[in-house]
Amino acid sequence: MAPTDEKSRWQYLNEEAKAGRLYLDPSVATSCRDASNTQIALFTQLKNDLQMLASVTGLGRFTAADELAKMLGMKAIGGERDFKTAFEEHIAVLELIRDTIEISVKKYEDQQVAQAQALNSQGANLPNGGA
């Protein structure tokens, strides 16, 4: 699936979470959030390491070698469908996934608190304080 499709899917889910229509159990969501953060850190490091690959050397002193070195460098950074852009797109989707998870968990926790408060107030209104 293309990164734009994934981004669209997670933008939709993010809006659903914000609207309170998407809930994730906190115990499951915590591992998903942690996995997202791990991947974000990995892709960020790989993206930063691309700078070393942007300047390819050691292919010889030929015109064709210079062109090949330039093509390989552009594949890392600045060329069509380069790795830097791919990493940035994946990081953006992972950040959206992580943020969606956090919103969903917050909504879930808020709902649990509201339900507990409603039950407590109902118990307080019963004769003998619900006892």
Side-chain angles (χ1 to χ4, degrees):
M1 183 167 285
T4 53
D5 294 341
E6 282 296 317
K7 188 170 185 180
S8 295
R9 174 183 296 158
W10 282 99
Q11 285 171 329
Y12 170 77
L13 292 172
N14 188 276
E15 292 303 316
E16 289 295 296
K18 287 177 183 175
R21 293 185 293 265
L22 176 69
Y23 296 102
L24 296 173
D25 184 282
S27 62
V28 173
T30 299
S31 4
C32 292
R33 185 203 58 218
D34 293 345
S36 295
N37 283 330
T38 299
Q39 284 303 116
I40 290 167
L42 173 64
F43 286 159
T44 299
Q45 184 60 51
L46 291 171
K47 184 184 85 158
N48 294 338
D49 291 345
L50 285 173
Q51 195 60 46
M52 293 183 295
L53 300 174
S55 299
V56 177
T57 60
L59 299 177
R61 295 197 174 271
F62 304 99
T63 303
D66 293 342
E67 288 299 315
L68 179 59
K70 182 179 176 183
M71 279 181 10
L72 291 172
M74 296 287 286
K75 189 63 179 168
I77 299 174
E80 185 178 336
R81 297 177 49 110
D82 67 329
F83 283 105
K84 181 180 183 224
T85 302
F87 284 134
E88 289 170 346
E89 290 172 353
H90 288 298
I91 289 167
V93 170
L94 286 165
E95 288 172 341
L96 196 51
I97 291 169
R98 180 201 57 211
D99 295 348
T100 300
I101 290 168
E102 288 177 355
I103 290 167
S104 174
V105 168
K106 177 75 172 117
K107 293 281 186 179
Y108 177 86
E109 289 170 347
D110 290 349
Q111 182 186 38
Q112 297 300 312
V113 168
Q115 287 176 349
Q117 289 173 342
L119 287 173
N120 286 338
S121 69
Q122 286 177 355
N125 293 331
L126 294 173
N128 297 327

